[in-house]
Amino acid sequence: MEAGNAVKVEKIDELQPNYMEIPLSLTNNGHTIRANTSKGKLNFGNNEYDLLQFHFHAPSEHLLNGMTYPLEIHFVNGTADGRMAVLGVLVKAGAHNPAFQEILEQSPKHIGDTINPPIMIRPALLLPEHTQHFYTYAGSLTTPPCSEGVQWFVLQDILEVSEQQIRDFSSKFYHDNARAEQKLNGRVLDVH
């Protein structure tokens, strides 16, 4: 670089999930186990989204370096004007996760059932320790009708749950409830 040339440095937008403690409410919708909520925020730049629900896929719907993971959690966020943002968390076998265990123990076994046990849960405990490194792209929901216009954020850091917890989710609830790998189809993948 020649002397005298100024370089403009822009701050990369930070992803800030602020998911509060909520009463546990779980629905078996025939496709996954969904945790129902209306508390929590996801902030990215000047955009703020409300946490609407989170649910689970086995195996993961996103691949990282060509590799699938045994589970993926989707935190579905939205705004009053209909904008959507989904935070994807890849899950691998490792340490036991007490928050995920509560979900496993309390989830309804019958399709269509909703259970509201007198238990509080912190969705933030279903995030890896670090959330500052992520991939983002404009995509769609992964379940029908697969609506477009969703801003995706997929964390690079991986959450751990135990091997037994992965087996329990897959054997008691859902396995192969993930959408098949999709091509980028011209979408731009940004890395933060």
Side-chain angles (χ1 to χ4, degrees), residues 39-108:
K39 289 187 178 180
K41 303 282 184 194
L42 178 67
N43 294 293
F44 180 69
N46 295 325
N47 297 301
E48 182 176 82
Y49 303 88
D50 295 315
L51 177 61
L52 306 174
Q53 54 104 333
F54 57 94
H55 61 268
F56 307 87
H57 294 277
S60 66
E61 293 189 316
H62 289 93
L63 284 72
L64 189 56
N65 297 320
M67 187 174 95
T68 60
Y69 286 78
L71 289 171
E72 184 171 344
I73 306 170
H74 289 170
F75 291 89
V76 181
N77 306 269
T79 62
D81 63 358
R83 291 178 297 124
M84 302 283 296
V86 180
L87 176 60
V89 177
L90 300 169
V91 180
K92 67 179 179 181
H96 179 84
N97 184 298
F100 189 59
Q101 189 64 37
E102 287 288 354
I103 290 169
L104 288 172
E105 291 175 4
Q106 302 297 328
S107 289

